Amino acid sequence: MALTLEQLNAAPAEQAVALLDGLYEHSPWIAAAALAQRPFQSLAHLKHAMVQVLAQASAQSQLELIRAHPELAGKAMVAQSLTAESTNEQNKAGLTACTPQEFARIQQLNADYNARFGFPFILAVRGPRGTGLAKQEIIDSFARRLANHPDFERAEALRNIHRIAEIRLNDKFGYEPLLGHDVWDWQEKLSAHTDPGYAELGQLTVTYLTDAHRACAQRISHWMRDCGFDEVEIDAVGNVVGRYHPAKESGKYLLTGSHYDTVRNGGKYDGRLGIFVPMACVRELHRAGKRLPFGIEVVGFAEEEGQRYKATFLGSGALIGDFKPAWLDQQDADGITMREAMQHAGLCIDDIPKLQRDPAHYLGFVEVHIEQGPVLNELDIPLGVVTSINGGVRYSCEMLGTASHAGTTPMNRRRDAALGVAELGLYMEQRAAQDGDSVATIGMLQVPNGSINVVPGRCLFSMDMRAPTDAQRDAMVQDVLAKLEEIALRRGLQYQTELAMQAAAAPSAPAWQARWEKAVKALGVPLHRMPSGAGHDAMKLHEIMPQAMLFTRGLNSGISHNPLESTTSDDMQLAVDAFSHVLEQLAAG
């Protein structure tokens, strides 16, 4: 019989510890210490209480916990001496049915890993959805993590231990994150569509108005109809728009959504999570026959990434009247203009101006998005409330010195363009860190026609600087440009800078950020506020209506724009629950 929170909260301490037995391998002390935080308002609350206990434990205690775990497909499995929980997990992942070649490979990886780190490889083999990773995924993860720094790998082992405990806790309570599973499954199914040249490699790439892109739009529109949306259309730029009507025709709408295009060889959750989370909420409203005082408009934005054409935020830009006609003449790598691609897709270009939304008809805009960074993952917190989308500037730059012989030019006589840029890069690192939440990057650095025996006389480079407010960003930019001037003067160099892009910061509307915060607290999840370093569709809608965002934790160090991008169905469920709570707050007035 499944355990309940009421039982756990009411049980005497010794009995409560027994009820949670087996969550952490041979380590009941974690659950015992976490029980001091009773009563728990949710499973998420209990899970984080245990995360906190382990975070506050000594390094030695953490290491002993890691070493209490068995090797994957190791001696304990062969000797059938695994705990019942570990046996179940390794069975689900197929590790008890390895081929001789797979078994030999895993044994070698076990040996190499133990030699490098001094503890066994820990992986939540039931995976992000709880149904089990494929054996090849396990082997690939094993091999990849061998290259990690020991301190990072120890932390990664602990994160996987918490994921193992989360799944075991779900089993004890008979809990399934059903809506999280649905959101997960929609994203998995949508990832079957990918552009030619990438499909053959098993890579996900969906760029604007390709066959795969149009197939994604059709599939999303069909799912929206299945969820009970009253109106579904693919608009004049390829956005998929679903509208769930309010209780009264005069009601305003809550606007939400994100993009369904991807970068090349990207991940499955960037953007798409923000379409499917509100879709799940609308479906539950429809199933319950419930209408709210306001309607819900979910938009799958057709383009945000700027991969096929230079234009970015094309989908959300059209909704604020910022679709530039000159974009239609941009060409892709095959010489196909955007106009031709839109005509081929059957889109009505003349209708684009009609897509502009009147903010008077809307309450505001909210967006759910995977974090695309390591912060929530390292904190072991499932959700983050966004305070602001960083404002950013980009420069294309050139540094000029004098090319000279690397062997005969003394160090104090050189006018080395590359070292000038290198010095600038180190300053940018220090200057951004000074703010705490600014970032600065030289992402491109090139010595044209460089040679191994020539002091660089010319260097091309980029600068990307971002901060949560325009004032903070501008102060950093001013300091960096002043440092560039100082470096060039001191080193006898010349330089040129060209402003390539400038985007204003988009602070979250306080009332809307507060709604996300209230929702997160109601779930028993710790509240973490954070800026968004990446740009999002929300920053376009910010120009005409209030907006606020919610982040979900990413796995694999929070990596994004990468096939390793991932998050769990448990975290997706929490995002659905938080979104539903925001809807309830709005309905209550």
Side-chain angles (χ1 to χ4, degrees), residues 529-558:
R529 301 180 182 94
M530 61 190 302
S532 170
H536 298 287
D537 291 298
M539 68 194 302
K540 298 299 291 184
L541 276 302
H542 175 83
E543 297 180 31
I544 65 168
M545 66 180 72
Q547 62 78 28
M549 294 185 67
L550 180 75
F551 278 165
T552 62
R553 164 177 50 189
L555 303 181
N556 300 318
S557 305

Side-chain angles (χ1 to χ4, degrees), residues 398-401 415 417 457 459 484 488-489 491-496:
E398 181 179 26
M399 187 79 87
L400 294 170
R415 294 169 60 200
C459 188
L484 173 58
L489 184 64
R491 288 179 172 269
L493 306 172
Q494 295 178 307
Y495 68 91
Q496 295 179 348

Side-chain angles (χ1 to χ4, degrees), residues 160-460:
N160 275 273
I161 286 171
H162 286 310
R163 174 59 182 160
I164 292 168
E166 176 172 56
I167 295 172
R168 291 177 178 180
L169 192 68
N170 290 349
D171 290 345
K172 280 184 179 291
F173 280 79
Y175 169 73
E176 286 282 342
L178 296 176
L179 298 181
H181 288 340
D182 289 342
V183 172
W184 167 276
D185 292 342
W186 278 327
Q187 289 167 115
E188 289 296 305
K189 291 172 183 175
L190 199 65
S191 70
H193 303 291
T194 185
D195 289 352
Y198 298 92
E200 298 84 347
L201 300 173
Q203 297 175 353
L204 177 61
T205 301
V206 178
T207 57
Y208 188 53
L209 294 182
T210 59
D211 288 346
H213 185 273
R214 298 199 303 276
C216 287
Q218 288 296 327
R219 181 163 279 202
I220 293 169
S221 68
H222 289 312
W223 286 333
M224 282 184 170
R225 291 186 184 94
D226 292 342
C227 286
F229 284 82
D230 299 296
E231 302 173 58
V232 179
E233 68 164 335
I234 297 174
D235 71 16
V237 296
N239 294 329
V240 186
V241 183
R243 289 166 67 88
Y244 188 71
H245 291 167
K248 295 181 180 179
E249 190 175 342
S250 59
K252 292 185 177 184
Y253 278 79
L254 172 67
L255 187 60
T256 186
S258 196
H259 61 97
Y260 64 91
D261 67 322
T262 76
V263 298
R264 292 178 174 86
N265 193 24
K268 301 173 183 177
Y269 311 101
D270 174 13
R272 297 170 175 198
L273 181 67
I275 303 170
F276 295 132
V277 164
M279 273 177 54
C281 294
V282 168
R283 187 188 63 185
E284 295 310 294
L285 289 171
H286 176 70
R287 285 176 171 175
K290 185 176 181 180
R291 295 282 173 177
L292 301 175
F294 54 91
I296 303 171
E297 182 174 331
V298 180
V299 183
F301 293 111
E303 194 286 328
E304 188 251 25
E305 299 288 6
Q307 297 291 296
R308 184 176 181 186
Y309 299 101
K310 292 181 180 179
T312 57
F313 297 104
L314 184 157
S316 51
L319 268 59
I320 67 167
D322 190 28
F323 184 94
K324 297 175 174 58
W327 290 346
L328 295 169
D329 296 320
Q330 291 182 359
Q331 295 184 351
D332 69 6
D334 296 318
I336 299 170
T337 66
M338 185 185 295
R339 178 182 284 103
E340 291 167 338
M342 296 177 88
Q343 290 169 340
H344 179 70
L347 302 180
C348 185
I349 295 172
D350 292 341
D351 284 347
I352 293 176
K354 301 176 185 177
L355 302 183
Q356 184 172 355
R357 300 302 198 263
D358 181 353
H361 297 158
Y362 292 89
L363 300 173
F365 179 82
V366 292
E367 182 175 359
V368 176
H369 207 284
I370 193 168
E371 180 200 344
Q372 299 185 282
V375 175
L376 294 175
N377 182 254
E378 291 179 0
L379 292 173
D380 271 309
I381 294 175
L383 302 175
V385 176
V386 177
T387 56
S388 177
I389 303 170
N390 284 0
V393 295
R394 293 176 184 171
Y395 286 90
S396 297
C397 308
E398 181 179 26
M399 187 79 87
L400 294 170
T402 300
S404 58
H405 197 292
T408 61
T409 309
M411 296 304 292
N412 63 354
R413 310 271 176 82
R414 297 185 177 203
R415 294 169 60 200
D416 189 323
L419 283 184
V421 178
E423 183 181 348
L424 179 67
L426 291 173
Y427 174 76
M428 288 171 65
E429 178 183 45
Q430 174 266 321
R431 176 59 184 82
Q434 176 183 313
D435 291 341
D437 52 4
S438 295
V439 290
T441 307
I442 293 180
M444 295 190 293
L445 182 62
Q446 179 188 5
V447 177
N449 303 313
S451 179
I452 195 169
N453 60 348
V454 176
V455 175
R458 180 170 178 243
C459 188
L460 303 177

